[in-house]
């Protein structure tokens, strides 16, 4: 046994810590350090350590994740389409996942609004001293624009800009064309399968740095986010967090059990790394490689379904974001003393579902969509200033909920098509990143060494 010690656990008696456990430790250590540094509030540390070194490492880590997304989605989807071999199945998977994504989002926001109406955050809120100026809402695209833009004019630009819906569209067309060429495509298909495996290895490499990446990202966030920001809007934060957890642990898990009969506990254990990545990066998009890896290698969902459903969900399905919009709307309606009425809330549900289709899973986009929802029901957009301060932490939690929704729908669709390998799902160790995964193939190693020797 040689090479990397990345996965060499430090637990006693020869017990190795799993990568997930290490990421958890990184996260908790990050919270503790962040809270301490926030209290210390030292200018040097804030500028050079947190704003400098930590910001740099955190950015490198998130960049590395984003770097994987486009090539991984391309090769896995191409492999998926050619692997399905049946275009009707592809249509079914597309239709079912789209329907389920809309359903979970509508359900999420409905529950959020009901919960918020019961709790009533924002009633009796004192607006004095709140600076409500300066929030010019960026425009969220209309749903028609979104549909029109699914077809790229230039695929190279789509790939360069990471336009996920366009990439999915183009790759599917390409995959179908490959299928149409029949046996002549054999070499190309094998090449894509190989590239898909290569990309999965790159995911493994990047993921092995996650404990450090997560540690710095969390430490930075908690250093910069003071507790004082939370106090005035505590009712909003608590209601929102409650609604998010309700959706995460109850609604989604009931759906999973009901539609598939699979164990929610096993599911939760296996999706945890992706949730931690989503929490730390606040981006469903950047988390795609980890979500994809969790559902395929850890849960046994076939790549033919996952390679489509996961990136599609990361782009159009945002349950957590919809929940935030529901709670925020009720909160702001209470603050401003405006009664939206049943029609108002139904509009909010419809708008939030449509808005979630059009906006990519990147940090903070939920707030942009909120401006659109508020505008539609006549609430002052400046109200967003009230919740801006706490939005980063809320974004982290809702992104974890967003990707869990993606994984649940992916699993439901795959199970319906008989595309889940239950022996993988039930094996607690399946797909765990192990030490062996980080080894270089010895024969290649020897060849490379020989080649270097010759020079
Ligand atoms: N950050 C979220 C995501 O990437 C979107 C949002 O709610 O802002 O899923």
């Amino acid at each position: 046994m040689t090479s990397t010690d990345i996965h060499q656990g430090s637990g006693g008696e020869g017990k190795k810590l799993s990568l997930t456990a290490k990421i958890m430790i990184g996260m908790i250590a990050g919270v503790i350090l962040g809270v301490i540094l926030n209290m210390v509030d030292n200018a040097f540390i804030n500028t050079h350590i947190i704003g400098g070194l930590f910001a740099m490492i955190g950015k490198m880590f998130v960049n590395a994740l984003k770097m994987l997304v486009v090539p991984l989605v391309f090769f896995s989807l191409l492999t998926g389409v050619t692997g399905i071999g049946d275009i009707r199945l592809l249509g079914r998977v597309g239709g079912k996942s789209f329907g389920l994504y809309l359903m979970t989002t509508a359900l999420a926001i409905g529950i959020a609004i009901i919960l918020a109406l019961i709790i009533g955050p924002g009633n009796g809120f004192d607006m004095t001293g709140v600076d409500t100026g300066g929030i010019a809402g960026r425009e969220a695209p209309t749903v028609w624009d979104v549909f029109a833009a699914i077809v790229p004019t230039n695929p190279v630009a789509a790939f360069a800009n990471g336009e996920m819906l366009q990439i999915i569209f183009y790759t599917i067309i390409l995959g179908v064309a490959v299928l149409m060429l029949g046996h002549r495509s054999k070499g190309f298909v094998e090449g894509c399968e190989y590239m898909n495996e290569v990309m999965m290895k790159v995911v493994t490499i990047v993921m092995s740095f996650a404990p450090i990446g997560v540690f710095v990202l969390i430490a930075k966030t908690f250093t910069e986010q003071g507790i004082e920001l939370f106090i005035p809007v505590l009712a909003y934060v608590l209601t929102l967090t409650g609604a998010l957890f309700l959706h995460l642990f109850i609604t989604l898990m009931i759906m999973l059990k009901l539609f598939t009969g699979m164990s929610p506990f096993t599911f939760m254990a296996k999706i945890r790394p992706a949730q931690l990545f989503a929490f730390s990066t606040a981006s469903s998009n950047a988390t795609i490689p980890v979500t994809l890896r969790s559902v395929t290698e850890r849960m046994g969902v076939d790549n033919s379904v996952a390679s489509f459903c996961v990136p599609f969900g990361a782009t159009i399905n945002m349950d957590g974001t919809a929940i935030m919009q529901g709670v925020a709307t009720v909160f702001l309606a209470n603050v401003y003393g405006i009664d939206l009425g049943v029609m108002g809330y139904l509009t909010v549900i419809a708008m939030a579902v449509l808005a979630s289709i059009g906006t990519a899973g990147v940090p903070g986009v939920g707030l942009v969509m909120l401006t659109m929802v508020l505008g539609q029901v006549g609430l002052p957009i400046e109200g967003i200033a009230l919740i801006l301060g706490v939005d980063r932490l809320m974004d982290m939690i809702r992104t974890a909920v967003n990707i869990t929704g993606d994984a649940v729908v992916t699993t439901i669709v795959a199970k319906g098509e008989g595309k889940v390998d239950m022996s993988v799902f039930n094996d607690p160790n399946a797909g765990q990143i192990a030490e062996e995964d980080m080894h270089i193939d010895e024969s290649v190693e020897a060849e490379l060494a020989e080649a270097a020797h010759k020079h």
Side-chain angles (χ1 to χ4, degrees):
M1 289 271 145
T2 52
S3 76
T4 178
D5 60 356
I6 287 168
H7 295 282
Q8 205 79 53
S10 50
E13 288 109 86
K15 256 180 74 189
K16 285 179 189 154
L17 283 177
S18 71
L19 182 64
T20 314
K22 286 184 192 169
I23 300 174
M24 283 292 256
I25 293 172
M27 197 169 100
I28 294 165
V31 173
I32 295 171
L33 182 69
V35 169
I36 294 173
L37 291 184
N38 181 272
M39 288 190 301
V40 171
D41 198 18
N42 176 296
F44 177 82
I45 295 178
N46 288 354
T47 316
H48 296 289
I49 307 295
I50 296 298
L53 183 70
F54 277 37
M56 178 197 78
I57 300 174
K59 189 107 190 92
M60 285 169 113
F61 178 61
V62 176
N63 285 355
L65 279 171
K66 289 185 183 163
M67 151 187 108
L68 304 174
V69 174
V70 172
L72 178 64
V73 168
F74 178 67
F75 287 114
S76 71
L77 189 53
L78 208 49
T79 314
V81 175
T82 52
I84 288 185
D86 174 359
I87 297 171
R88 270 169 315 185
L89 174 61
L90 194 65
R92 265 210 314 277
V93 167
K96 275 191 201 171
S97 55
F98 187 62
L100 279 168
Y101 280 143
L102 291 190
M103 189 179 121
T104 52
T105 309
L107 210 61
I109 188 168
I111 293 171
I113 290 178
I114 292 170
L115 193 74
L117 285 174
I118 294 171
I119 298 177
N123 279 327
F125 191 88
D126 183 7
M127 284 290 284
T128 45
V130 175
D131 175 15
T132 55
I135 305 283
R138 277 183 284 157
E139 281 288 297
T142 73
V143 73
W144 305 116
D145 293 339
V146 173
F147 281 129
I150 288 176
V151 185
T153 48
N154 177 351
V156 179
F159 280 79
N161 298 325
E163 292 290 346
M164 210 43 71
L165 291 181
Q166 298 189 348
I167 294 174
I168 291 175
F169 179 84
Y170 182 74
T171 309
I172 289 178
I173 302 271
L174 202 65
V176 171
V178 168
L179 283 176
M180 288 165 121
L181 284 179
H183 70 275
R184 286 174 58 203
S185 299
K186 193 164 170 279
F188 181 75
V189 171
E190 278 171 6
C192 288
E193 281 165 4
Y194 171 73
M195 279 311 293
N196 187 30
E197 274 182 48
V198 170
M199 286 315 300
M200 275 297 178
K201 273 287 178 219
V202 185
V203 175
T204 309
I205 296 173
V206 173
M207 274 182 77
S208 64
F209 291 96
I212 300 170
V214 166
F215 168 71
V216 294
L217 286 173
I218 298 284
K220 180 172 178 292
T221 308
F222 278 79
T223 307
E224 290 168 354
Q225 300 269 310
I227 190 82
E228 67 281 356
L229 290 172
F230 288 82
I231 292 166
V233 286
L234 202 60
Y236 165 75
V237 170
L238 293 180
T239 312
L240 176 51
T241 312
L244 286 169
F245 284 164
L246 191 71
H247 188 69
L248 181 65
F249 292 113
I250 311 290
T251 319
L252 286 176
M253 292 307 109
I254 289 178
M255 276 185 72
L256 180 79
K257 186 79 197 163
L258 225 60
F259 284 112
T260 67
M262 290 157 81
S263 157
F265 296 102
T266 311
F267 178 91
M268 271 297 182
K270 296 198 165 194
I271 196 67
R272 192 159 307 129
Q275 288 173 333
L276 294 175
F277 272 70
F279 182 78
S280 322
T281 60
S283 168
S284 313
N285 252 10
T287 311
I288 288 175
V290 189
T291 317
L292 203 51
R293 194 182 181 286
S294 296
V295 294
T296 52
E297 310 213 346
R298 301 226 56 210
M299 296 191 206
V301 172
D302 197 78
N303 182 53
S304 56
V305 176
S307 64
F308 169 76
C309 287
V310 169
F312 188 46
T315 316
I316 73 154
N317 180 54
M318 292 179 196
D319 298 356
T321 305
I323 290 172
M324 179 277 278
Q325 291 171 349
V327 176
T329 313
V330 176
F331 172 71
L332 294 176
N334 287 343
V335 167
Y336 289 104
I338 297 170
D339 182 12
L340 292 181
V342 177
M343 269 323 281
Y345 286 115
L346 288 179
T347 312
V348 172
I349 294 179
M351 287 310 295
V353 172
L354 292 181
S356 87
I357 297 176
T359 28
V362 291
V365 69
L367 272 192
V368 179
M369 287 150 65
L370 184 62
T371 61
M372 176 171 145
V373 174
L374 294 179
Q376 196 71 30
V377 290
L379 281 172
I381 289 172
E382 300 76 48
I384 286 184
L386 293 180
I387 52 175
L388 201 60
V390 295
D391 195 63
R392 176 67 192 192
L393 190 67
M394 296 297 102
D395 195 1
M396 293 158 80
I397 304 176
R398 69 179 182 250
T399 307
V401 176
N402 287 349
I403 65 100
T404 310
D406 301 343
V408 166
V409 169
T410 302
T411 312
I412 293 175
V413 173
K415 190 77 169 70
E417 298 294 340
K419 297 271 184 196
V420 182
D421 183 343
M422 288 307 287
S423 63
V424 174
F425 184 79
N426 291 325
D427 173 2
N429 294 322
Q432 287 268 32
I433 294 181
E435 216 182 319
E436 308 81 77
D437 291 317
M438 295 297 290
H439 283 169
I440 294 175
D441 185 324
E442 274 169 28
S443 55
V444 179
E445 206 169 13
E447 270 174 42
L448 291 178
E450 201 179 311
H453 190 69
K454 278 192 191 140
H455 274 284

